[in-house]
Amino acid sequence: MLAETICSAVSAAGLGIAAISAYRKKFLSAARIAAYALVPLGLVMTGAVEWIADTAFSPVAWAGFGVLGVAWLLFLSTRAVERRRAGREVTTTTTGEAGTRAVAPGASAPSRAVTAKPQAGQSAGEDFSDIEAILKKHGI
């Protein structure tokens, strides 16, 4: 009974504020405030406030919420384990080895970094042939 009275008072106060906003020619704001003010009144009229009050003070309802929480945690943990297992199976079947390296879908094997040894007349920074080939490939 107290919750219904409080909700009705909040709705009345909100509608009063909406009327003041409308008087100040702020009609959009007044309509929005009126919409928010009518929500508690609608909840009281549908009986939702009474149901919430009965549920809030019921130990059986709180135990039910606890059981639902445990079920939710079990669903999440089993899903995480399934994803982890599926990820391991994909990497081992894709690479053909027991490693955990990720491979692009179209690649046949993981790419390895190849370091070219400079020839006798070149220093390590002068071999730009691979870079030039990449630039030519892209038309640069």
Side-chain angles (χ1 to χ4, degrees):
M1 177 102 168
L2 181 64
E4 288 88 358
T5 306
I6 291 172
C7 287
S8 299
V10 167
S11 289
L15 290 174
I17 293 170
I20 292 171
S21 294
Y23 179 75
R24 293 182 182 171
K25 307 285 187 214
K26 296 181 180 179
F27 298 110
L28 184 63
S29 177
R32 189 175 297 125
I33 292 170
Y36 281 121
L38 290 174
V39 169
L41 186 62
L43 290 174
V44 167
M45 292 175 78
T46 59
V49 172
E50 183 179 344
W51 178 79
I52 290 172
D54 290 341
T55 304
F57 298 113
S58 170
V60 174
W62 284 106
F65 285 126
V67 169
L68 288 174
V70 169
W72 182 69
L73 287 174
L74 286 172
F75 279 127
L76 286 179
S77 62
T78 56
R79 192 168 184 192
V81 169
E82 282 179 350
R83 284 186 178 182
R84 189 171 283 188
R85 284 185 183 169
R88 287 183 184 162
E89 290 173 4
V90 167
T91 56
T92 57
T93 58
T94 304
T95 60
E97 57 190 28
T100 58
R101 293 186 105 167
V103 178
S108 60
S111 59
R112 310 246 188 246
V114 178
T115 56
K117 295 180 183 178
Q119 295 179 357
Q122 296 178 336
S123 67
E126 291 181 5
D127 186 24
F128 294 112
S129 60
D130 55 346
I131 296 173
E132 289 175 4
I134 293 170
L135 292 174
K136 286 181 184 177
K137 178 181 174 184
H138 292 287
I140 299 175

